[in-house]
């Protein structure tokens, strides 16, 4: 009833309301006028007008100059690890349904082919409208790459009896174990295969995920997925890029090793030839994923100095507590052996004590913030989709997490999911495919 | 879509194959070739709805007699004939809601007065463990099933609904059944799976001669996927011809079924187009 009244009072799209039509509105028109009059009787709205001056429309798509960002797909290593982290990330974990090596190879080849297309973009055509379209179409008929990277890793369960790969398992790949503060949900843990999607927009990641699901119905079943974002900051010419902030409001990833330094990455991230790992794994990396819930309401009710003492950094700048101006300044713990400036149990000090011995525990972190709605208690379900890469999982994530076990920050965080995976070496050329070295080993 | 509108919509399609002939001009399969499979399918549906009516009569009688044990025994087998013909039974939206809606389709879930049909009785038998409130529900279920039988008898089957029905059944299993949420009180889901697959396979069987002409590899792959599904479910058969409860389904078999269902849904989604149907 109400709806039809409104519809009548609104002139058809794009056509100016004629006086004749206005007369015809009759009672509805009168009611409408009355409403307008009563609104006028109240206080007139003040402040500047809200209408955009460009003539842009509400439903116009947001504009971006980055839709054609392309990250090369082929290389010694998979993209999406030392690639600078874009705004949107996602980890999807799958069960692999392949029952034999031929099917597994078909899976790897299909993934290679789809990822090569999705990351570089291009048209998707549908010659027969009687058939379902080839893709979801959510990016339009020409797929924009949007800086997409798709990174494929395998879980320890891929090395069970199914494919005869038992003896090929990377030495340090095991199922993620529970740490004392964890409350792991089986529905959010582990998996045969993880795929990390990163792009300028979440829609690009979703498009890629849906494409892969559509192209592998008999090979993959989705187990769990978690999306996340990183807030962009203004680009300031001449100033070093800043580290992004997590949902606790602190800069995250400040102490990350320089991902543009190939030699450093070879040492910290990539499995190297000549070590104890199987030869097929050279060029790959261990991926640790943790879904870490943050109790943000409680955190926001914690005194600032306590937050800073727990993290070991100043909140506004990210600078360490013993001096310095930015998050890039390095704390000197040798001058603070009793933890007077930076508490001994501060998060950053436990995670990286910056000793000679702890140098081998470095890893490359690539986390995203996640937000999933509301808990049963009416609190925000949000936190960190922690992702890190390292050449040695035991020396990297596992050692660091053991040092962190029992840290004061635990009162505010709860790891609920994730898993350990091994990121396959890169696809070298057009004849190569993901997993080829593993299958040939 | 209101029921009246939907009926009108169907009636338009039912008008005959004339329009179809024009639409299908490009396809190798002549629309006239569909007449045989579709009338065979109509017979299949008639047989199933006849059995559904008889079984529902016995089932609701047991409920009304307060014989919980007997009613529980009849619950899953009674549903099988409905689950086989779901794609056409669902054409009558009002009846499908009345017969087969689940608690979460209703705002107040189990306590919602509009929650009726099979799953309301299932709730009474397995959770409430008494039939006190079930008399009117049982009467309504039987009346709805008889009404369904009447309407199906009068319906000329829209070919695209029949052909598309195979995919519809797979989509249903994939979206809301594989998790075991359909029969959440009785856990008799494997009975429903079996029936949904049988219903989809029947359509595939009837169309096979036409599909083979279009794409033999597609036909072989679909048959192979159905075989895996039926073989997997057969492992859970009980001595009396029934099925184990859903909880007995291993994680591995659940994933296996999910993958086959997804593949069948993906492949069967092309069936209408392949046969030149809109």
């Amino acid at each position: 009833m109400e709806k039809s009244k409104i519809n009548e009072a609104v002139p058809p799209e794009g056509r100016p309301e004629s006086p004749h039509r206005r007369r015809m509105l009759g009672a509805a028109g009168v009611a409408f006028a009355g409403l307008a009059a009563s609104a006028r009787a109240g206080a007139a709205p003040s402040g500047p007008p809200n209408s955009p001056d460009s003539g842009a429309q509400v439903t116009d798509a947001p504009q971006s100059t980055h839709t054609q960002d392309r990250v090369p797909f082929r290389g010694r290593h998979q993209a999406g690890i030392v690639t600078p982290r874009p705004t949107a990330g996602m980890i999807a974990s799958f069960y692999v349904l392949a029952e034999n090596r031929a099917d597994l190879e078909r899976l790897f080849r299909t993934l290679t082919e789809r990822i090569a297309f999705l990351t570089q973009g291009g048209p998707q055509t549908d010659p027969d409208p009687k058939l379902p379209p080839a893709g979801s179409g959510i990016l339009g008929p020409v797929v924009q790459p949007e800086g997409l990277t798709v990174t494929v890793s395998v879980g320890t369960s891929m090395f069970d009896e199914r494919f005869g790969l038992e003896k090929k398992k990377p030495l340090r790949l095991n199922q993620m174990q529970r740490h004392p503060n964890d409350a792991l949900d089986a529905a959010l843990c582990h998996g045969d295969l993880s795929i990390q999607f990163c792009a300028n927009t979440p829609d690009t990641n979703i498009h890629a995920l849906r494409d892969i699901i559509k192209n592998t119905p008999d090979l993959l079943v989705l187990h769990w997925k978690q999306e996340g974002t990183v807030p962009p900051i203004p680009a300031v010419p001449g100033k070093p890029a800043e580290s992004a902030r997590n949902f606790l409001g602190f800069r995250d990833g400040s102490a990350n090793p320089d991902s543009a330094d190939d030699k450093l990455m070879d040492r910290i991230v990539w499995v190297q030839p000549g070590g104890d790992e199987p030869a097929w794994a050279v060029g790959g990396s261990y991926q640790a994923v943790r879904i870490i819930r943050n109790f943000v309401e409680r955190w926001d009710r914690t005194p600032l100095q306590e937050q800073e003492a727990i993290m070991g950094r100043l909140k506004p700048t990210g600078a360490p507590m013993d001096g310095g101006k930015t998050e890039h300044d390095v704390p000197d713990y040798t001058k603070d052996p009793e933890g007077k400036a930076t508490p001994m149990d501060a998060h950053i000090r436990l995670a990286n004590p910056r000793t000679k011995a702890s140098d081998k525990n470095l890893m490359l972190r690539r986390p995203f913030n996640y937000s999933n709605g509301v808990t049963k208690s009416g609190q925000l379900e949000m936190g960190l989709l922690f992702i890190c890469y390292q050449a040695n999982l035991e020396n990297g994530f596992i050692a660091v997490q053991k040092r962190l076990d029992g840290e004061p920050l635990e009162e505010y965080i709860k790891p609920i999911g994730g898993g350990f995976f091994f990121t396959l070496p890169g696809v070298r050329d057009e004849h190569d495919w993901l997993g080829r070295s593993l299958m040939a080993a | 879509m209101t029921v009246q509108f939907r009926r009108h919509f169907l009636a338009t399609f039912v008008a005959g194959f004339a329009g179809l002939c024009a639409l299908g001009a490009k396809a190798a399969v002549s629309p006239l070739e569909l007449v045989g499979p579709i009338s065979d399918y109509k017979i299949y549906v008639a047989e199933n709805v006849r059995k559904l009516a008889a079984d529902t009569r016995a089932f609701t009688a047991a409920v009304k007699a307060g014989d919980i044990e007997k009613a529980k025994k009849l619950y899953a087998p009674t549903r099988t004939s409905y689950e086989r013909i779901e794609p056409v039974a669902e054409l009558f939206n009002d009846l499908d809601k009345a017969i087969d809606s689940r608690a979460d389709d209703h705002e107040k879930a189990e306590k919602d007065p509009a929650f009726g049909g099979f799953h309301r009785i299932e709730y009474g038998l397995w959770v409430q463990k008494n039939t006190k409130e079930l008399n009117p529900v049982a009467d309504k279920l039987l009346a709805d099933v008889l009404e369904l039988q009447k309407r199906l008898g009068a319906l000329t089957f829209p070919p695209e609904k029949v052909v598309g029905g195979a995919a519809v059944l797979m989509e249903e299993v994939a979206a809301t059944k594989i998790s075991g949420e359909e029969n959440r009180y009785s856990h008799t889901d494997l009975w429903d799976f079996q029936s949904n697959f049988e219903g989809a396979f029947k359509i595939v069987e009837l169309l096979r001669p036409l599909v083979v002409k279009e794409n033999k590899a597609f036909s072989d792959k679909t048959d192979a996927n159905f075989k895996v599904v039926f073989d997997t479910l057969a492992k859970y058969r009980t001595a009396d011809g029934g099925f184990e409860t859903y909880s007995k389904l291993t994680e591995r078999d659940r994933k296996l079924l999910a993958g086959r269902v997804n593949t069948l849904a993906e492949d069967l989604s092309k069936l209408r187009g392949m046969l030149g149907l809109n």
Side-chain angles (χ1 to χ4, degrees):
Chain A
M1 178 88 176
E2 194 122 9
K3 199 175 171 199
S4 70
K5 208 189 281 178
I6 289 165
N7 283 344
E8 264 183 52
V10 175
E13 213 181 335
R15 212 185 312 149
E17 202 178 331
S18 72
H20 171 68
R21 185 180 155 76
R22 211 175 284 169
R23 269 199 308 277
M24 281 185 48
L25 289 177
V30 171
F32 190 73
L35 251 168
S38 71
R40 222 173 283 135
S46 58
N50 295 112
S51 55
D53 44 27
S54 61
Q57 296 303 306
V58 172
T59 45
D60 286 351
Q63 297 189 343
S64 159
T65 54
H66 290 278
T67 61
Q68 293 305 308
D69 289 357
R70 252 178 212 88
V71 180
F73 166 58
R74 297 194 173 91
R76 263 191 299 164
H77 312 297
Q78 286 194 67
I81 297 176
V82 298
T83 314
R85 179 182 53 168
T87 308
M90 182 204 294
I91 294 275
S93 163
F94 295 87
Y95 298 114
V96 169
L97 299 175
E99 282 167 345
N100 50 53
R101 290 178 71 99
D103 276 351
L104 185 59
E105 180 173 332
R106 183 162 59 88
L107 169 63
F108 284 137
R109 285 178 181 273
T110 306
L111 287 173
T112 306
E113 184 249 322
R114 295 320 300 162
I115 296 168
F117 168 70
L118 293 163
T119 55
Q120 304 307 301
Q124 247 183 340
T125 51
D126 293 302
D128 187 350
K130 284 193 162 62
L131 292 178
S136 65
I138 64 172
L139 301 180
V142 180
V143 174
Q144 303 156 356
E146 285 277 18
L148 175 72
T149 59
V150 182
T151 312
V152 177
S153 313
V154 290
T156 182
S157 50
M158 287 291 275
F159 299 90
D160 63 17
E161 73 293 342
R162 282 176 288 172
F163 309 110
L165 298 172
E166 296 98 316
K167 293 187 175 137
K168 310 288 159 53
K169 193 163 77 78
L171 289 185
R172 292 157 187 92
L173 184 62
N174 286 302
Q175 183 150 303
M176 178 178 77
Q177 298 296 307
R178 182 181 173 274
H179 285 261
N181 187 44
D182 293 3
L184 299 178
D185 175 352
L188 295 173
C189 286
H190 320 306
D192 289 334
L193 192 90
S194 87
I195 305 185
Q196 174 196 273
F197 300 86
C198 299
N200 296 334
T201 72
D203 312 76
T204 309
N205 291 333
I206 289 168
H207 176 266
L209 173 67
R210 281 172 61 176
D211 184 281
I212 285 172
I213 288 174
K214 185 169 180 67
N215 282 285
T216 56
D218 60 330
L219 295 169
L220 293 179
V221 167
L222 192 58
H223 179 14
W224 53 268
K225 84 161 170 54
Q226 181 61 60
E227 291 175 73
T229 53
V230 182
I233 50 162
V236 182
K239 274 186 78 179
E242 298 171 40
S243 309
R245 289 180 192 271
N246 58 26
F247 276 165
L248 299 178
F250 279 77
R251 294 192 191 278
D252 203 347
S254 309
N256 243 358
D258 180 359
S259 54
D261 181 337
D262 287 348
K263 274 203 180 128
L264 196 60
M265 292 299 102
D266 277 347
R267 179 165 72 82
I268 294 171
V269 174
W270 308 119
V271 169
Q272 295 299 303
D276 54 2
E277 291 287 1
W280 74 263
V282 168
S285 186
Y286 285 93
Q287 177 194 58
V289 179
R290 304 268 285 172
I291 302 172
I292 306 170
R293 201 189 145 201
N294 294 171
F295 301 115
V296 294
E297 286 92 344
R298 185 171 179 190
W299 181 251
D300 291 346
R301 291 189 279 258
T302 301
L304 177 59
Q305 60 182 16
E306 206 171 310
Q307 292 187 4
E308 291 179 332
I310 288 170
M311 296 305 298
R313 286 187 186 279
L314 300 180
K315 197 170 184 183
T317 57
M321 303 190 76
D322 61 351
K325 288 197 178 102
T326 74
E327 78 272 27
H328 300 295
D329 291 307
V330 176
D332 185 355
Y333 300 136
T334 59
K335 293 190 178 137
D336 179 25
E338 287 163 49
K340 281 181 181 149
T342 309
M344 303 305 286
D345 57 5
H347 180 75
I348 71 159
R349 190 162 185 169
L350 286 174
N352 184 0
R354 297 179 186 271
T355 61
K356 190 93 194 116
S358 71
D359 197 44
K360 68 168 199 260
N361 305 132
L362 291 175
M363 57 195 181
L364 185 68
R365 287 168 292 151
R366 221 170 172 279
F368 293 87
N369 300 328
Y370 82 84
S371 175
N372 282 353
V374 181
T375 68
K376 276 183 192 153
S377 318
Q379 292 203 319
L380 293 165
E381 211 288 75
M382 54 173 57
L384 192 70
L385 171 59
F386 176 90
I387 306 166
C388 72
Y389 293 92
Q390 53 261 293
N392 183 318
L393 184 62
E394 283 161 16
N395 289 345
F397 175 79
I398 293 174
V400 171
Q401 184 55 52
K402 278 185 181 153
R403 278 206 300 265
L404 288 171
D405 286 343
E407 63 172 330
L409 181 61
E410 284 185 348
E411 267 193 65
Y412 302 90
I413 64 172
K414 188 57 80 180
I416 54 175
F420 295 158
F421 302 89
F422 188 82
T423 304
L424 300 168
V427 175
R428 283 155 192 266
D429 54 45
E430 54 273 33
H431 306 294
D432 198 7
W433 39 279
L434 286 163
R436 185 194 47 78
S437 65
L438 166 62
M439 299 295 282
Chain B
M1 219 187 292
T2 65
V3 183
Q4 287 82 355
F5 178 73
R6 194 185 271 268
R7 259 199 222 159
H8 178 73
F9 179 76
L10 292 183
T12 321
F13 269 104
V14 164
F17 287 87
L20 258 168
C21 291
L23 293 168
K26 266 193 293 183
V29 171
S30 149
L32 289 172
E33 293 178 80
L34 282 168
V35 173
I38 284 170
S39 49
D40 285 347
Y41 186 65
K42 187 164 180 168
I43 294 167
Y44 176 76
V45 169
E47 283 167 357
N48 273 284
V49 78
R50 198 179 309 129
K51 179 148 174 37
L52 174 67
D55 290 351
T56 305
R57 200 179 291 281
F59 172 59
T60 52
V63 171
K64 289 182 74 175
D67 190 344
I68 293 183
E69 277 322 300
K70 187 172 176 197
K72 280 168 101 166
K73 221 174 246 162
L74 294 178
Y75 171 77
T78 300
R79 291 175 51 74
T80 56
S81 15
Y82 188 80
E83 293 293 321
R84 276 186 213 109
I85 58 164
E86 222 171 355
V88 283
E90 276 177 353
L91 293 177
F92 305 104
N93 198 16
D94 58 333
L95 290 180
D96 184 48
K97 276 211 170 76
I99 293 171
D100 201 29
S101 73
R102 310 193 305 204
D104 42 36
D105 294 326
H106 301 275
E107 194 178 337
K108 292 178 188 142
E110 281 88 357
K111 293 194 180 77
D112 202 301
F115 176 42
F118 275 116
H119 297 299
R120 174 63 186 87
I121 297 178
E122 180 197 6
Y123 177 67
L125 295 175
W126 270 273
V127 179
Q128 296 180 309
K129 297 186 169 63
N130 76 63
T131 57
K132 257 189 288 175
E133 300 166 16
L134 297 181
N135 269 5
V137 185
D139 286 339
K140 174 85 169 37
L141 175 63
L142 181 58
D144 287 334
V145 164
L146 294 174
E147 171 67 14
L148 175 68
Q149 185 177 25
K150 204 171 94 193
R151 288 199 209 167
L152 282 173
L155 176 74
T156 305
F157 284 29
E160 77 289 348
K161 295 283 179 199
V162 175
V163 175
V168 167
L169 279 163
M170 294 304 96
E171 295 292 0
E172 295 228 350
V173 177
T176 61
K177 291 188 174 169
I178 192 73
S179 56
E181 63 195 280
E182 171 89 356
N183 297 290
R184 67 192 63 173
Y185 320 112
S186 63
H187 309 293
T188 54
D189 300 273
L190 298 187
W191 290 76
D192 283 30
F193 288 7
Q194 176 75 23
S195 309
N196 286 157
F197 286 120
E198 283 175 7
F201 189 60
K202 182 70 187 180
I203 296 169
V204 167
E205 271 188 312
L206 291 173
L207 295 171
R208 189 182 290 116
L210 303 182
V211 174
V212 164
K213 276 201 290 185
E214 291 290 312
N215 188 338
K216 175 139 192 334
F218 175 96
S219 185
D220 291 347
K221 184 184 169 200
T222 302
D223 284 348
N225 277 321
F226 271 115
K227 185 174 184 320
V228 173
V229 163
F230 287 127
D231 288 351
T232 306
L233 283 173
K235 294 197 291 184
Y236 297 92
R237 281 277 190 194
T238 51
D240 59 358
F243 282 98
E244 303 273 13
T245 64
Y246 179 81
S247 59
K248 293 268 168 66
L249 188 64
T250 64
E251 183 71 357
R252 189 159 179 171
D253 280 342
R254 190 180 63 74
K255 284 181 251 165
L256 181 85
L257 283 177
R260 299 298 166 158
V261 169
N262 290 343
T263 310
L264 284 166
E266 198 67 54
D267 290 344
L268 293 174
S269 73
K270 300 179 185 129
L271 202 53
R272 273 185 304 161
M274 190 183 290
L275 299 182
L277 289 165
N278 279 332

